[in-house]
Every structure is written in C-alpha cells, then in structure tokens.
Amino acid sequence: MAKERAEIAQEDRWDVEAIFPSLEAWEQEFKKWAREGKSPRWPEIASFRGKLCEGDAATVHKALETALNIERHLAKLFTYAHLKHDEDIGLDACKSAFGKITTLLSLFDQETSWMRPEILSISDEKLRAFLQEPALKEYHVYLEKIVRFKPHTLSAHEENLLALSSKALEATHKAFSALSNADLKFLPVKDSRGVQKELTQGTYSLYLRNSDRTLRKEAFLHLHQGFLAFENTFCELLEGVIQTHFFEARARKYSSCLEAALFPHKIDPRVYTSLISAVRQRLGSLHKYLSVRRKLLSYETLHLYDLSVPLVPDQEIAMTYEKAAELCAESVIPLGSKYQTILRQGLLQKRWVDRLENARKRSGAYSSGCYDSMPYILLNYEETFSHLNTLAHEAGHSMHTYFANASQPYHYSHYPIFVAEVASTFNEELLFRHLLERTKNPAERKFLLNQKIDGIRATLFRQAMFAEFELKLHEWVEQGIPFTPQLLKQEYRKLNREYYGEELTLEPESDIEWARIPHFYYNFYVFQYATGISAANALVEKIFKEKDSARDAYLQFLSLGGSLYPLDLLRIAGVDMETSAPVHATMDRFDELVSELTK
Ligand SMILES: [Zn+2]
C-alpha cells in the first residue's frame, strides 16, 4: 500500500510552496488575473485590436508586452495548480483549481487569437521596417516565426472554413484510439508452466521483457492476431489520418505533407530523408548485433519477440534516491562545476524533486515548471536501474529549463520539442559512461552495455524504420495510391526484412505491427526520437574529445532556450543535423558497444 501524501517527509517532496505559500494565496492571485464577470476578461489586450496593422512599431511592442505579461502570470498559476493536482489527484480543492486555470488559459487563447492573423495582415514593407526598429529588436525572431507563415496563410474566409473543419477531422485519430485502447480485446496467454494470464496493451510490453519465451511468443502472436482481425478498419483509419495531413498541406499550399509538417520548425525535408539514408547505410551493424543476440540467447532462430528481453539476467543497480541523485551529479562533471553544483543542489537540497510514490499520485515521471518557478521533477522513485536512468533524463530537461530561464527573456524561454530530448538523452549518456567506468563487475558491465545497445536499437534503428514507413504512407496518398491491408503488410514486411536482415525470422503476424503504432497518427513525429539520440550522442562524444570549447558550446545551447530555430540551436551546440555526421557518430558508438559486449 502506498503511503498517504501527509506521511511523506518534507525533503522527499518538491517545494511547490516556493510558487505560492498556500492554495488561498493562489486563489487571491487567480482572482487578480481572471477578472471574472468581465467581458472581455483582459480589455488591455482587446484595446489593441485593429490597431496593429495601422499602428507603429511601438504599438506592436506594447501589445506584445501586455499579452505576454498576462500569459506569464497565468503560466505561474497553471504550474502551481498542475503540480498540486498531480501530488494527489483525489483532492477536490486542487482538482477545482486545476480546472479553473485550464479554462482560463483557453479563454486567454480565444481572446488573443486575433493577434497572429492581424500581425500577418501587416504589409511586407511595413513589417520589414518594423523589424529594423529598436523597439522591436528583442522580438525579432519571435515576430519572424509568425511572419514566415504568410505564404501559407489563407484569406480570413478560408481560414474560418479550415478552423470549422478541425473538430470533424479529428475523428479518425479518435476512432483509432477508441478501437485500439478500449474496444479491441486479445486472447489470454499462457506461460511455460501453463499459467494463464490476461493480455492487454499494458501487459504486452512487460511480457516481451520476460525471460519466459513461451509467454513472449504467445503475447506477440495473440496481440497481433487481435489487430489482424480488424486489418480493414485499421487500414481505413490510417489512410484517413494521412488524407487529413494531405488536405491540410494542399489547402495551405505546401509542396508535400513532409514539407508542411517540418515547416513550423524550419527544418528542411532533407534532414528527414538523410536520416533515413544514413541509418540504411549502417544496417549491417544492426544485423551483426542481432546475430550476437541470437548466439547469446542460444536460440536457433531469432524472432521479433526475442528483441526486448534483457540478455543478462536482471542485474539491477539498486540504490536509494540520495545515492542515485549523487551519482547523477557526479556523472555531469564533464559539463563543469557550475552545472554540477546547480544540479546537485536542485536534486538534493532545493527540493526540485517530488521523489516517492504516494496514494493517488500521478504515475510516471516528468520535468515541468515555468519561467517563475524552479524546474520541478515528478518521480515515483524505486530502487532500480531504470528509475536511476529516468532521474538522469528528467534532470537533463530541468537543467535545460534552468539555463534557458536564467538567460532568456520570457518569450524566448520555451525551447522547441525538436531539441528538448537532446538535453535529456545527453544526461542519460553521461550517466551511462560514468557507471560503465566505475564498475569492475563483469555481469554489471554486460547489463549496462546491453541496456545501451538496445536503447540505440529501439530509438535510432526502429524509429528510422517507422519514419521511412510514415513517409511512404504520405507519398502514396500524394500519388493517389489507395491503401489496402495487403499493400501495407507487404511494405511493412519489406522494411522489417531490410532493417533486421536474414537473422530475423518473420511471422505473418509481424506484418500487421503498423496497425498498433499510435505515432503514425502524429504527423511526422517519430523521426525526432532518432535525431534527438543522434545529436545527444554526437555532442557527448565531442565533449569527451574536445573538452572545454565543446562544453562551452553545449552550455550556450542550453542558455539559448527558444531564441533561435532548432537546427540553429543545435549547430551552436556543435552538431549539424543537416549532415549525416551525428547519425554516423551514434552508429560508431553502437558498433563499439556491440564489440565490447561480444568480447
Ligand atoms: Zn524526455
């Protein structure tokens, strides 16, 4: 039984009271900004409506400052309410505060929704002049990020039609979630002793890591047979969502679905395609690892259900939270003593972290905070290697937030998703190197190597394969090729064969895996896992080789927050994602680890 929140010692809780001392204090601040009963809620923003396209740079500056200042205060209110809510989701007072601020934020979005289109309606000539004015200098990139959408913005009437269609266009994704998460049921599975177990999407991933091969095989077959039984429906749903992406890309005059998806982040489609071709060049490394894996497991044939089971019997590196935090702090020394001190204090003294599980606390882990708070971390810490790794990961995010907040004005403090997972994966890699260096125990070394190798396999190779499949789906729709279950299964088999090589034995059930992957509904999202791990690995490598200059560049990247576009940020950190070098650096590392494991 998990402890009640009240039984958790203060040092094990995050210091939410640093934002507001109590819920009453929060309520007072909420009242001040919510202006209940008023319409509009924020007349000081509404008063600028219609004046941006006619006004001067000073007017635009004043309007931005006014709106951003209110947004900043609302973000602080939101952070407190959401952290309190996650501490114990059973508390009505916190649930109500969380609901109130969420509603207020969507009202804020509505009341400021006119600003973007109005900025876009300013003539090019006038905008160019504005961007030169000293008053708007600090908003240069901020405004440019809005203005570059001009060629893809439609008339007010057309924009309204698109906005009206958005709810209806969500139906496909929702139907997919409902079918795969709620309605779809799977046959139960039996382990090697004949004990029957329930199979759900949640238990599936646990079973696949189980050393009982009979259990793994049954789980794999029964799960995919469940999807095969609805292959026509899944095929229609997938085509439906890709058609939605195609509709939006066409309506907004993009040359392809890929270009449309990458445009907001100013990422050239070549980054995507060169990721795939670089990974393809190194598939031999994956084939070699699979052969090592098969031999280490002493199997005649290797199957998809043999890829997730740990090669080394669970060699858990168990330690208390304090030890884990100290280890994370030790591992970041390549980033210098300033970074290390901030991290150590955050994790051990300043109470960034809500460490332990309690009754009705939100599960999992995250890093969260706002411009006016510390970069909090939610954990449900248990003494296992995976929890230690999660702590390093979330600490990487929190340090990124810390540096960005400390160095940037509010409007540049949010860093883009494309770079977010670089900072977290970077710290995981530092932890891994530190652990590997200090352990002399061969079983522990084997365990660590195996963890890392499978991490790269799952994050780089597998996500690149997904990215390739996703691109194919969009190209088919662009070319007017209708989807059939047969077509999708054939293509998926071809990719499985090419990526995993002859070392892997494929079942007919392997061909339907696409049907259960929710990420194919996210519109070119998965490739960021592959680019993220590549950038992080290449950067760690660089810091170990080049020391100080590489370290300073990385710290500057953290400090830049969201003040530049993602590829520019990473270039400053020291990696050029428009080349395949970072992918190859990670592949070199993969080869190195596999040969050490083989040894
Ligand atoms: Zn993360």
Side-chain angles (χ1 to χ4, degrees):
M1 279 290 281
K3 283 183 179 173
E4 283 298 317
R5 182 81 189 162
E7 299 170 67
I8 305 285
Q10 194 190 52
E11 75 252 30
D12 291 329
R13 305 185 195 184
W14 49 25
D15 186 11
V16 183
E17 285 67 37
I19 315 179
F20 293 109
S22 64
L23 197 55
E24 290 70 46
W26 182 91
E27 290 282 359
Q28 273 181 10
E29 181 77 358
F30 180 83
K31 258 203 200 103
K32 188 172 148 200
W33 294 99
R35 325 269 181 78
E36 269 155 344
K38 270 198 175 181
S39 179
R41 295 286 181 107
W42 304 281
E44 63 269 54
I45 299 177
S47 68
F48 285 104
R49 194 163 186 172
K51 290 184 186 149
L52 299 187
C53 40
E54 280 142 37
D56 49 12
T59 311
V60 176
H61 182 256
K62 191 94 214 308
L64 288 175
E65 299 256 281
T66 308
L68 286 164
N69 179 47
I70 293 170
E71 185 192 274
R72 179 174 163 179
H73 283 93
L74 298 184
K76 187 175 168 189
L77 285 162
F78 175 80
T79 301
Y80 178 86
H82 113 82
L83 298 180
K84 288 303 277 184
H85 174 253
D86 288 352
E87 282 178 1
D88 182 346
I89 52 174
L91 290 179
D92 283 349
C94 297
K95 196 176 278 180
S96 138
F98 181 66
K100 273 160 69 178
I101 186 64
T102 311
T103 310
L104 192 67
L105 278 170
S106 78
L107 246 172
F108 179 80
D109 282 346
Q110 284 169 34
E111 284 197 15
T112 50
S113 66
W114 59 270
M115 291 182 88
R116 232 181 115 85
E118 197 167 318
I119 290 171
L120 278 163
S121 75
I122 303 174
S123 75
D124 287 348
E125 197 186 340
K126 200 166 178 179
L127 263 170
R128 260 196 303 276
F130 276 5
L131 291 177
Q132 301 307 320
E133 298 248 4
L136 285 174
K137 205 166 173 255
E138 54 175 325
Y139 288 98
H140 195 110
V141 177
Y142 185 90
L143 284 169
E144 204 206 85
K145 279 184 181 175
I146 299 176
V147 172
R148 60 190 291 274
F149 279 90
K150 238 182 181 181
H152 303 291
T153 304
L154 309 176
S155 70
H157 175 67
E158 289 166 325
E159 284 290 340
N160 191 35
L161 276 179
L162 282 186
L164 278 175
S165 72
S166 67
K167 278 267 172 262
L169 291 176
E170 284 166 15
T172 322
H173 188 178
K174 284 188 172 166
F176 164 78
S177 300
L179 177 56
S180 75
N181 298 325
D183 292 342
L184 196 59
K185 297 284 179 279
F186 308 101
L187 289 174
V189 290
K190 277 193 190 131
D191 66 16
S192 55
R193 290 170 304 155
V195 179
Q196 188 169 304
K197 291 166 190 278
E198 195 193 2
L199 176 65
T200 63
Q201 300 235 48
T203 53
Y204 176 68
S205 54
L206 291 176
Y207 295 159
L208 271 206
R209 290 181 57 79
N210 198 296
S211 59
D212 186 332
R213 200 181 191 197
T214 310
L215 176 67
R216 293 204 308 270
K217 182 176 177 179
E218 283 234 326
F220 179 82
L221 295 178
H222 289 185
L223 187 96
H224 289 92
Q225 283 157 6
F227 282 91
L228 270 172
F230 289 91
E231 60 174 9
N232 292 294
T233 310
F234 282 111
C235 174
E236 294 294 348
L237 290 171
L238 194 53
E239 176 163 2
V241 80
I242 309 283
Q243 290 285 3
T244 308
H245 302 161
F246 181 60
F247 165 70
E248 281 161 2
R250 268 295 153 87
R252 296 197 174 279
K253 303 175 194 140
Y254 291 99
S255 66
S256 68
C257 296
L258 182 62
E259 193 208 345
L262 303 187
F263 183 84
H265 321 291
K266 209 176 175 184
I267 292 169
D268 193 293
R270 274 177 312 174
V271 171
Y272 193 95
T273 47
S274 80
L275 163 77
I276 293 171
S277 55
V279 172
R280 273 196 167 268
Q281 282 172 35
R282 305 294 291 262
L283 289 178
S285 302
L286 180 58
H287 302 167
K288 197 173 138 204
Y289 168 57
L290 290 195
S291 149
V292 172
R293 178 170 255 278
R294 185 178 60 75
K295 283 174 200 149
L296 284 171
L297 288 166
S298 316
Y299 292 156
E300 285 278 313
T301 55
L302 194 74
H303 300 256
L304 277 171
Y305 51 80
D306 297 323
L307 295 190
S308 306
V309 60
L311 289 173
V312 189
D314 268 278
Q315 176 76 40
E316 287 296 10
I317 297 169
M319 60 186 77
T320 61
Y321 171 83
E322 283 79 8
K323 279 217 171 114
E326 188 46 48
L327 208 56
C328 286
E330 281 169 20
S331 75
V332 299
I333 194 61
L335 290 176
S337 59
K338 182 188 168 200
Y339 184 102
Q340 186 182 48
T341 306
I342 297 167
L343 179 93
R344 182 179 276 131
Q345 286 180 347
L347 299 188
L348 287 162
Q349 290 151 28
K350 296 208 166 154
R351 292 172 54 211
W352 288 3
V353 188
D354 207 63
R355 303 175 184 179
L356 307 174
E357 189 190 356
N358 61 251
R360 300 172 304 279
K361 177 172 162 179
R362 195 192 134 132
S363 62
Y366 63 66
S367 159
S368 180
C370 64
Y371 196 64
D372 297 296
S373 80
M374 48 181 100
Y376 294 100
I377 294 173
L378 178 130
L379 290 183
N380 283 275
Y381 187 79
E382 279 170 42
E383 300 188 2
T384 69
F385 173 77
S386 115
H387 283 258
L388 165 65
N389 201 55
T390 302
L391 175 60
H393 180 102
E394 302 306 340
H397 283 310
S398 283
M399 290 299 288
H400 194 179
T401 308
Y402 180 93
F403 275 85
N405 285 351
S407 321
Q408 294 298 322
Y410 171 72
H411 62 280
Y412 288 142
S413 59
H414 292 278
Y415 43 80
I417 299 175
F418 190 81
V419 302
E421 293 306 329
V422 175
S424 52
T425 317
F426 184 97
N427 283 31
E428 279 186 55
E429 177 65 17
L430 286 184
L431 173 71
F432 169 71
R433 288 184 188 228
H434 182 63
L435 287 172
L436 201 62
E437 194 182 310
R438 72 199 275 276
T439 179
K440 298 285 170 277
N441 175 348
E444 206 174 295
R445 280 187 82 79
K446 236 161 109 180
F447 173 82
L448 288 168
L449 288 167
N450 179 203
Q451 291 287 324
K452 202 70 201 175
I453 291 166
D454 281 336
I456 299 178
R457 179 189 66 73
T459 314
L460 187 46
F461 288 106
R462 184 169 155 84
Q463 303 300 332
M465 182 182 128
F466 284 173
E468 188 168 347
F469 185 67
E470 194 178 354
L471 182 60
K472 194 86 194 173
L473 297 175
H474 286 88
E475 285 170 353
W476 281 337
V477 165
E478 285 162 358
Q479 293 157 10
I481 297 171
F483 288 16
T484 64
Q486 208 48 38
L487 178 72
L488 296 176
K489 288 192 293 185
Q490 258 171 20
E491 180 65 22
Y492 207 79
R493 170 162 288 248
K494 187 175 139 266
L495 287 173
N496 263 332
R497 180 50 71 225
E498 287 166 353
Y499 273 74
Y500 294 112
E502 295 302 324
E503 198 61 50
L504 199 77
T505 305
L506 293 169
E507 279 73 17
E509 283 83 356
S510 315
D511 305 346
I512 192 74
E513 193 187 34
W514 54 266
R516 68 176 182 85
I517 308 296
H519 299 82
F520 293 142
Y521 290 76
Y522 296 177
N523 202 4
F524 293 110
Y525 189 87
V526 293
F527 84 104
Q528 300 179 97
Y529 295 121
T531 51
I533 192 177
S534 303
N537 268 283
L539 288 168
V540 172
E541 200 65 46
K542 216 172 146 75
I543 286 179
F544 273 78
K545 275 195 192 127
E546 298 170 20
K547 310 275 187 248
D548 290 4
S549 62
R551 181 192 70 202
D552 293 346
Y554 183 77
L555 294 176
Q556 194 194 350
F557 152 73
L558 296 183
S559 300
L560 283 167
S563 61
L564 295 170
Y565 290 100
L567 293 183
D568 298 333
L569 289 167
L570 289 173
R571 214 169 278 123
I572 289 170
V575 280
D576 185 353
M577 299 311 288
E578 287 185 310
T579 72
S580 55
V583 175
H584 284 297
T586 310
M587 293 298 188
D588 291 344
R589 179 88 178 131
F590 183 81
D591 288 346
E592 233 176 78
L593 297 171
V594 171
S595 47
E596 195 182 338
L597 180 71
T598 314
K599 248 191 265 165

